[in-house]
Amino acid sequence: MTTRRPLVIGNWKMNLDFVEALHLVQQLGVLMKNRPVEHTDVVVAAPFVDLRSVSSIIDSERFAIGLCAQHVNAQENGPHTGEISTSMLTRLNVEWVLVGHSERRVHYFMSDEIVADTLRSVVRAGQHAVLCVGEELSVRENGEHEAFVAAQLESALHGLDEKFHALLTVAYEPLWAIGTGVNATVEQVHEMTAHLRKVLRSMSFSAPQVLYGGSVNTENAATLVRESDVDGFLVGGASLKAESFYAILQACDDCYAIKR
Ligand code: PEP
């Protein structure tokens, strides 16, 4: 792990209604108050309909938890039935947005062009964009994974005004590891984070923050964080229970405290 402050984002996907979401945040907040997570930034990516209630409880209980949307439309307003804009998120104190998660790319036809437009809308709104990149298994088997993710970065970030660079976080999420129980190995994560940082630096990003996502759990988090130079995690399944998410936060926190 690098000596940058870790970031862990829980992606709840299409789980938890607003009552369940409140319950989970309350449990997580209590765990974090009993034993604070001092060195790690904690963010939850809730479904749209949960954002208002989760925002209220974070605010009223003063929990050190940031709020993230799982997606947003690139347009500001207008005839986009079923969609949500960045200004709507701003009104709900949302400071983070996942951009181009593979489930959106694969199942909801989010093209590279839409990913690039969405990312620009997010950073122009002053929100942190978490750009998700990652390859299918067949791409890795063909040895093309590095070129594939470099092309994803290029297409999403080319020409992005430097004043927005600090709002970018990249999440490396190989598709074969998402929700499968098969996580990337320490070596694979290490190689890919180094590669992503190199590509980002060649595009003038000075201190790119790179997360890993894909079947991170309480068993593998400590090893991945200790033995690779990843800056933190994007966590799906294991973020749905306060105890398992909190254990991942603690693994990052302990590691950072030792390495600093
Ligand atoms: C994700 O959806 O971003 C993810 C990493 O999921 P999981 O942790 O369940 O593999």
Side-chain angles (χ1 to χ4, degrees), residues 11 13 98 101-103 132 173 177-181 212-217 234-239:
N11 177 13
K13 310 195 188 196
L98 304 185
H101 189 283
S102 62
E103 287 158 12
C132 303
E173 297 212 304
I178 296 185
T180 57
Y212 165 72
S215 298
V216 174
N217 58 34
L234 179 52
V235 185
S239 69

Side-chain angles (χ1 to χ4, degrees), residues 10-18 20-21 45-50 70-71 98 101 103-104 107-108 235-237 239-240:
N11 177 13
W12 297 348
K13 310 195 188 196
M14 197 173 70
N15 296 294
L16 310 178
D17 62 31
F18 85 92
E20 294 164 331
F48 287 136
V49 294
D50 297 352
Q70 298 173 12
H71 176 60
L98 304 185
H101 189 283
E103 287 158 12
R104 300 237 40 111
H107 303 304
Y108 300 97
V235 185
S239 69
L240 294 173

Side-chain angles (χ1 to χ4, degrees), residues 7-253:
L7 165 67
V8 181
I9 305 176
N11 177 13
W12 297 348
K13 310 195 188 196
M14 197 173 70
N15 296 294
L16 310 178
D17 62 31
F18 85 92
V19 177
E20 294 164 331
L22 278 179
H23 194 59
L24 177 57
V25 173
Q26 184 83 52
Q27 285 180 318
L28 182 62
V30 168
L31 288 170
M32 289 172 63
K33 279 198 170 163
N34 288 344
R35 187 180 161 206
V37 175
E38 289 175 71
H39 311 291
T40 301
D41 292 322
V42 183
V43 173
V44 292
F48 287 136
V49 294
D50 297 352
L51 290 172
R52 186 175 166 82
S53 43
V54 171
S55 169
S56 302
I57 195 163
I58 287 174
D59 205 37
S60 64
E61 299 287 335
R62 297 177 195 278
F63 290 147
I65 301 173
L67 194 53
C68 183
Q70 298 173 12
H71 176 60
V72 75
N73 194 283
Q75 310 304 314
E76 193 39 47
N77 51 37
H80 301 284
T81 304
E83 293 293 297
I84 302 288
S85 70
T86 54
S87 56
M88 294 173 183
L89 297 179
T90 300
R91 295 277 286 165
L92 294 172
N93 303 325
V94 172
E95 294 178 319
W96 297 81
V97 184
L98 304 185
V99 179
H101 189 283
S102 62
E103 287 158 12
R104 300 237 40 111
R105 293 181 191 252
V106 173
H107 303 304
Y108 300 97
F109 313 109
M110 195 173 184
S111 64
D112 285 344
E113 195 187 351
I114 298 175
V115 169
D117 289 348
T118 306
L119 189 129
R120 276 157 185 73
S121 295
V122 169
V123 295
R124 279 190 200 120
Q127 290 151 353
H128 296 267
V130 182
L131 173 63
C132 303
V133 298
E135 79 287 351
E136 301 259 14
L137 187 57
S138 56
V139 174
R140 179 168 278 271
E141 284 171 349
N142 287 339
E144 292 163 356
H145 45 292
E146 293 200 345
F148 185 87
V149 295
Q152 285 184 317
L153 289 184
E154 264 290 324
S155 118
L157 301 173
H158 182 77
L160 184 72
D161 194 317
E162 264 192 58
K163 71 179 181 215
F164 297 127
H165 284 195
L167 289 172
L168 177 79
T169 294
V170 171
Y172 170 56
E173 297 212 304
L175 274 67
W176 45 269
I178 296 185
T180 57
V182 179
N183 63 284
T185 64
V186 166
E187 292 72 30
Q188 288 168 328
V189 172
H190 200 70
E191 267 169 33
M192 193 51 107
T193 47
H195 173 64
L196 291 170
R197 286 204 175 96
K198 192 166 132 212
V199 175
L200 287 163
R201 275 196 298 270
S202 76
M203 299 175 77
S204 312
F205 287 80
S206 53
Q209 189 174 34
V210 181
L211 311 182
Y212 165 72
S215 298
V216 174
N217 58 34
T218 49
E219 278 83 51
N220 57 31
T223 313
L224 284 169
V225 80
R226 207 174 42 237
E227 295 175 24
S228 76
D229 69 343
V230 77
D231 293 319
F233 299 120
L234 179 52
V235 185
S239 69
L240 294 173
K241 292 265 180 294
E243 293 75 17
S244 50
F245 190 54
Y246 180 73
I248 294 168
L249 303 177
Q250 279 298 343
C252 289
D253 219 48

